Amino acid sequence: MAAVTIDGKALALDLQAALQIRVQALIQAGTRPALTVILVGADAASQVYVRNKVQGCERTGIVSAMLHYPSDVDPTIVFDRIAELNADPAIDGILVQLPLPAQFDESAILAAISPDKDVDGFHAANVGALTQGAPRFIPCTPYGVMKMLEKEKVELKGKEAVIIGRSNIVGKPMAALLLAKGATVTICHSQTRDLAFHTRRADVLVAAVGRPLMITGEMIKPGAIVIDVGINRLASGRLCGDVDFDSAKETAALITPVPGGVGPMTITMLLTNTVEAAERRSASVQAGAPH
Ligand code: NAD
């Protein structure tokens, strides 16, 4: 039987509608959620991602600003700007679009963002909090995947979850989140010897590699839940995921498409993190804390 497709676009719209209500409540209480996105250089994909993030803010009522620097900017200028934004009580979220040009030390930039405003959840303090099971900001893509599983009422306790990809932004935080829900987690990566051995025993399979159509139906356990994080462009110009959707949907029970699956959820969770930061700011103002 063909798998049911999880509609990430529809869920993203529902969650954004709920966020609009939270934003209105915050504004009435005197706090306007605000996100600043820093873009360095002219990478075409980064420009599209940043534009989508800014548009998402506009749709939900979050104030957004985009600071765009030329690719040869002196990193000190960006570090100084981040320090100003850290100190600005009207800013809830700061996001630096990756990748950065070669003169930047990416990890130093991520460390410079205040953990309280780190809406991407990449700061070491937030990674640590997530790993210890007390997250403050959850990285947006795995957060979106968890919301999809929650919406589909997937019980994760005792399930075999296999993640392909071990990046800091997807694979590793995805593992921490699935582990926290009681799944038995395996992380596969470029050095994994027999990938199909692992994928075939996955009740929940998350593909986050960036290789078009590498996971085929025969690599999937019948009845599995397949989450495709990959975004790849074929020579024809068509977008596709890491999973061969057509063959996988014959074996899986639930599957996410590309486009229209995890992608729309990622931006929605960035907006969610920004609203959560603003709610914390509002609560501390109500409590009379200095800000
Ligand atoms: P990355 O390049 O940082 O990591 C890729 C991972 O794949 C690595 O850990 C590597 O070990 C693993 N890998 C490479 N070849 C492999 C192989 N043959 N077998 C098993 N594992 C292998 O990438 P990333 O930033 O984690 O992104 C992964 C994909 O997800 C990309 O296509 C990216 O565009 C996409 N992405 C999508 C969203 C979204 O919102 N949908 C968000 C972030 C990333």
Side-chain angles (χ1 to χ4, degrees):
M1 207 175 78
V4 172
T5 301
I6 304 177
D7 186 344
K9 206 169 166 187
L11 178 56
L13 287 174
D14 285 353
L15 293 177
Q16 287 184 25
L19 279 179
Q20 280 172 354
I21 295 167
R22 285 164 69 182
V23 170
Q24 286 313 314
L26 278 165
I27 291 171
Q28 272 169 19
T31 299
R32 182 100 200 236
L35 172 70
T36 297
V37 181
I38 295 175
L39 174 65
V40 183
D43 179 72
S46 291
Q47 291 192 23
V48 172
Y49 293 144
V50 167
R51 196 173 60 229
N52 289 342
K53 288 167 185 176
V54 169
Q55 284 172 354
C57 286
E58 283 165 5
R59 273 199 305 279
T60 36
I62 296 169
V63 177
S64 66
M66 201 261 276
L67 306 177
H68 194 173
Y69 296 96
S71 55
D72 60 353
V73 68
D74 180 342
T76 315
I77 292 173
V78 178
F79 276 108
D80 289 349
R81 194 73 185 95
I82 290 173
E84 285 169 18
L85 292 165
N86 283 341
D88 184 342
I91 299 296
D92 298 294
I94 305 166
L95 180 158
V96 177
Q97 185 65 42
L98 303 178
L100 290 166
Q103 75 271 26
F104 280 86
D105 174 351
E106 266 183 19
S107 53
I109 282 280
L110 296 179
I113 297 171
S114 162
D116 294 332
K117 301 189 178 190
D118 168 39
V119 283
D120 257 341
F122 296 161
H123 191 287
N126 287 322
V127 175
L130 173 66
T131 309
Q132 290 186 339
R136 275 184 300 184
F137 290 112
I138 301 173
C140 303
T141 301
Y143 195 3
V145 171
M146 295 308 286
K147 284 283 168 197
M148 292 173 120
L149 296 174
E150 198 182 296
K151 166 78 186 351
E152 297 299 328
K153 299 189 169 49
V154 174
E155 174 55 84
L156 290 162
K157 223 174 279 172
K159 293 277 164 62
E160 291 292 333
V162 174
I163 301 158
I164 319 172
R166 58 175 163 180
S167 70
N168 289 336
I169 67 167
V170 188
K172 286 183 201 157
M174 189 77 252
L177 291 167
L178 290 168
L179 193 59
K181 289 288 179 192
T184 301
V185 179
T186 303
I187 307 180
C188 300
H189 48 79
S190 54
Q191 266 96 58
T192 296
R193 263 182 289 163
D194 185 352
L195 186 63
F197 164 78
H198 295 284
T199 60
R200 280 194 195 113
R201 54 177 192 79
D203 300 310
V204 178
L205 180 63
V206 181
V209 177
R211 278 196 173 201
L213 314 175
M214 73 181 284
I215 306 298
T216 56
E218 63 189 22
M219 296 169 75
I220 293 170
K221 179 177 174 178
I225 295 152
V226 178
I227 306 289
D228 192 356
V229 176
I231 302 177
N232 310 289
R233 199 171 282 284
L234 296 173
S236 63
R238 183 169 76 87
L239 273 188
C240 73
D242 292 345
V243 176
D244 174 19
F245 184 87
D246 290 337
S247 69
K249 78 175 193 306
E250 298 304 323
T251 316
L254 274 175
I255 188 166
T256 64
V258 178
V262 176
M265 292 298 293
T266 295
I267 289 177
T268 304
M269 302 327 291
L270 169 68
L271 306 175
T272 304
N273 279 344
T274 306
V275 171
E276 284 173 6
E279 286 171 345
R280 288 198 277 266
R281 168 160 67 102
S282 178
S284 77
V285 169
Q286 310 294 328
H291 52 90

